[in-house]
Amino acid sequence: MIIVLRPGATPAEAAAVVRFVEEAGYTAHRSDGQAQTVIGVVGALPTGLDLRPFEVLPGVARVLRITAPYKLAGRHFRADDTVIDLGGVVVGGREVVLMAGPCAVENRDQIRAVAASVKAAGAKVLRGGAFKPRSSPYSFQGLGQEGLELLRQAADEHGLKVISEVMDRSQVDAMADLVDIFQVGARNMQNFDLLRDLGHVARPVMLKRGLAATLEELLLAAEYVMSGGNHRVILCERGIRTFERATRNTLDISAIPVLKTLSHLPVVVDPSHATGVRDKVIPVARAAVAAGADGLLVEVHCDPDHALSDGAQSLFPDQFTTLARQTRAIAEVIGRSQAGG
């Protein structure tokens, strides 16, 4: 259920509505838009719930029963796009934000070299895995906490923000001071215990679409994070598993405009995991920006042929520079901007 306050409703009236909702046994989530304040009512609302007690509250314009299973992540709750400010780096605004770096942090020299190259090309966020979920238990699993510290140091050296994947609830506290964005991988999209914990952190969360998840399931996963109070969620389309074998996954380009219609949350695309093939990353990145993506998450390595993880889909630095230049031109055509290139 959504309670829409009338324009000009006072703070006292809004507070009274929130108090009434909570006294009724539900959770209230307030969103102050440019024109109106909306209060999302979350909880197990009975089918025959009488809406009239809510409708007659002072300051209430109307009460809407929402049929979509996701409330906080939907457009009904917030008409304006969510814009996430990372301290000067804005995701969900006019600029298309580039996030780039290696699949895994391997050593100090490697991550410093990649950080320097992606910064020069226009990236604002350095990506890199310290805890790596791999398909095979015998593959490189990452450097753990040491890798996170190396990632943070390289990012600070070049004025970049940090995004890295969290795999387990036990890692959240240790990562909180070292990352600017928690990344939840495709395999953990429905790890609801982890999502609930991330709902209480003071960091944005990037939520990757599961290997075979529907868009509704992705938005419901976002709802788990948001229901804990953390509304700074970024959705990531990274391709889904289909019967096609020409690429690692099948990128759902249509997911970008569909998510933009259903949700107010920013949408980022990962063309590296979507294709799994280096020479396909740039064309897919161009398509993603043209379709309205708010950012790109790209794997870059200075020596991808000898990378310890996902070298086949990692771009050389000069290829990333080409990607940045081309996507910047597309962004400008559709009325957006992008740094560097």
Side-chain angles (χ1 to χ4, degrees):
M1 181 169 67
I2 300 293
I3 301 174
V4 182
L5 302 189
R6 59 176 172 78
T10 67
E13 289 173 332
V17 173
V18 170
R19 188 164 54 251
F20 185 85
V21 168
E22 293 175 344
E23 288 175 352
Y26 305 112
T27 302
H29 293 269
R30 177 174 168 176
S31 174
D32 296 311
Q34 294 180 354
Q36 289 177 302
T37 293
V38 173
I39 297 172
V41 181
V42 179
L45 278 67
T47 303
L49 178 67
D50 187 357
L51 302 184
R52 287 175 295 179
F54 299 91
E55 292 171 336
V56 299
L57 293 172
V60 172
R62 61 188 185 278
V63 178
L64 306 174
R65 186 182 291 275
I66 305 302
T67 56
Y70 46 87
K71 307 294 190 295
L72 304 178
R75 280 281 179 193
H76 287 97
F77 174 67
R78 183 184 176 97
D80 303 327
D81 289 340
T82 288
V83 177
I84 298 173
D85 191 338
L86 302 172
V89 177
V90 177
V91 182
R94 183 173 180 271
E95 182 178 347
V96 178
V97 177
L98 298 183
M99 308 177 183
C103 176
V105 179
E106 298 170 3
N107 55 62
R108 185 184 302 276
D109 290 342
Q110 172 243 18
I111 192 60
R112 290 182 68 193
V114 175
S117 68
V118 300
K119 170 69 174 183
K124 295 289 187 71
V125 181
L126 180 64
R127 63 147 295 155
F131 305 99
K132 296 301 300 176
R134 305 301 302 280
S135 299
S136 169
Y138 307 111
S139 300
F140 177 61
Q141 302 290 312
L143 296 179
Q145 192 70 17
E146 178 191 357
L148 271 181
E149 292 170 0
L150 293 175
L151 184 66
R152 180 78 264 174
Q153 292 166 11
D156 290 345
E157 183 179 342
H158 296 283
L160 297 165
K161 303 300 181 182
V162 167
I163 180 171
S164 193
E165 183 170 355
V166 56
M167 291 176 55
D168 186 80
R169 300 172 67 187
S170 64
Q171 299 166 351
V172 173
D173 289 342
M175 293 181 66
D177 293 332
L178 294 172
V179 303
D180 298 291
I181 306 173
F182 282 99
Q183 175 185 309
V184 177
R187 295 172 180 84
N188 269 322
M189 189 202 81
Q190 291 180 314
N191 182 343
F192 299 123
D193 288 337
L194 174 61
L195 299 183
R196 289 190 192 97
D197 283 2
L198 292 173
H200 301 291
V201 301
R203 292 283 186 275
V205 175
M206 177 182 287
L207 191 60
K208 284 196 165 189
R209 185 179 181 182
L211 298 176
T214 65
L215 297 182
E216 181 175 287
E217 289 167 339
L218 174 61
L219 290 171
L220 281 170
E223 192 84 359
Y224 265 89
V225 178
M226 299 176 74
S227 66
N230 184 0
H231 290 193
R232 298 201 295 168
V233 177
I234 303 166
L235 305 174
C236 182
E237 168 59 41
R238 44 81 72 200
I240 53 176
R241 182 171 291 173
T242 70
F243 51 78
E244 182 54 65
R245 291 293 175 263
T247 54
R248 181 174 181 176
N249 296 291
T250 299
L251 181 67
D252 184 1
I253 284 289
S254 66
I256 304 167
V258 171
L259 287 171
K260 288 287 190 177
T261 300
L262 296 176
S263 177
H264 51 87
L265 299 174
V267 179
V268 166
V269 170
D270 179 347
S272 302
H273 280 90
T275 63
V277 185
R278 187 178 305 140
D279 65 358
K280 305 297 187 297
V281 172
I282 294 178
V284 168
R286 294 195 301 254
V289 173
D294 295 302
L296 297 171
L297 184 68
V298 185
E299 292 190 355
V300 181
H301 197 291
C302 292
D303 186 12
D305 292 336
H306 295 93
L308 298 181
S309 177
D310 285 347
Q313 66 194 36
S314 299
L315 298 183
F316 287 92
D318 61 336
Q319 291 177 309
F320 180 68
T321 300
T322 298
L323 180 152
R325 183 176 67 251
Q326 293 181 0
T327 55
R328 181 186 184 191
I330 294 170
E332 291 172 350
V333 167
I334 61 175
R336 303 188 73 170
S337 64
Q338 179 187 293

